[in-house]
Amino acid sequence: MPDSPEPASAERNPATAAKNSSQFVGFQIAGQKYAIPIDQIQEIVIPDQVTLTPQVAACVEGVTNLRGQIIPVVNLRLLLDLETIARDDETRMIVVNVSDRRIGLVVDSVSQVIRIPFENIQPSLDTMTVEGNHDVAGFAKLDDVLFILLDMNEMLQPQRLTRPGSAPVSSV
């Protein structure tokens, strides 16, 4: 009796891989690789003109007109307490949907859409939180690259995007 063929592995079978993994958009800030679940991303664009707005948190650059909709623009470097740099040809704005809000996130560069197997994802450690903030949802290793998985619902809470004594930032 001839040997029966071996079943296709998850790596070779796209349907199995999709069931056993999640898709993310990978990007970089200050040389570190981060990722956001693709289902929270509306689009990725080259940042356009930003109108400065008063009485917002330092990480909020202002607002921009994205095809007729005014959305807030958040510099993710500043939100993560990193030094700001000048924009260049690699700078991108990731437009995310969080609850009923649409927000643009300025990042150094966007690298790729990645599929990460569930077994490569580890939840964030309790020691990774500051003052009750849980910005880091977890970590994922893909090949030899470690991605920090960000929790957009936590990071972009309205009270985090306000200056003390000002109104929360919301998209119109």
Side-chain angles (χ1 to χ4, degrees):
M1 180 172 163
D3 291 337
S4 59
E6 290 183 36
S9 71
E11 293 88 34
R12 289 181 272 156
N13 184 338
T16 303
K19 289 180 188 175
N20 297 322
S21 62
S22 287
Q23 278 191 307
F24 295 83
V25 169
F27 60 94
Q28 286 191 54
I29 300 174
Q32 175 60 54
K33 297 199 182 273
Y34 295 88
I36 299 172
I38 199 165
D39 61 353
Q40 289 189 303
I41 297 174
Q42 176 182 318
E43 62 189 301
I44 300 168
V45 298
I46 296 173
D48 201 5
Q49 181 179 359
V50 174
T51 301
L52 300 177
T53 52
Q55 298 186 339
V56 294
C59 64
V60 179
E61 291 185 356
V63 296
T64 192
N65 184 344
L66 185 65
R67 284 182 291 292
Q69 184 177 19
I70 306 300
I71 65 167
V73 176
V74 173
N75 186 316
L76 208 46
R77 273 181 165 267
L78 294 175
L79 185 61
L80 294 171
D81 292 327
L82 299 171
E83 182 179 326
T84 187
I85 61 170
R87 291 184 181 179
D88 60 24
D89 291 341
E90 296 295 315
T91 304
R92 294 293 179 266
M93 184 171 70
I94 302 173
V95 181
V96 296
N97 294 309
V98 178
S99 300
D100 60 347
R101 299 173 296 133
R102 185 169 292 147
I103 298 173
L105 302 174
V106 177
V107 300
D108 294 356
S109 65
V110 173
S111 53
Q112 68 222 35
V113 173
I114 51 178
R115 185 173 293 281
I116 302 175
F118 292 136
E119 66 264 12
N120 292 13
I121 299 173
Q122 296 181 15
S124 180
L125 307 169
D126 289 338
T127 57
M128 299 301 299
T129 63
V130 177
E131 299 175 14
N133 294 333
H134 302 275
D135 296 345
V136 175
F139 301 91
K141 188 169 184 184
L142 190 62
D143 298 324
D144 288 331
V145 178
L146 183 65
F147 288 87
I148 297 174
L149 307 178
L150 297 178
D151 183 338
M152 291 293 97
N153 292 320
E154 181 71 28
M155 289 186 76
L156 300 175
Q157 291 180 19
Q159 62 270 23
R160 298 263 319 267
L161 303 179
T162 60
R163 194 177 77 183
S166 64
V169 172
S170 64
S171 58
V172 178

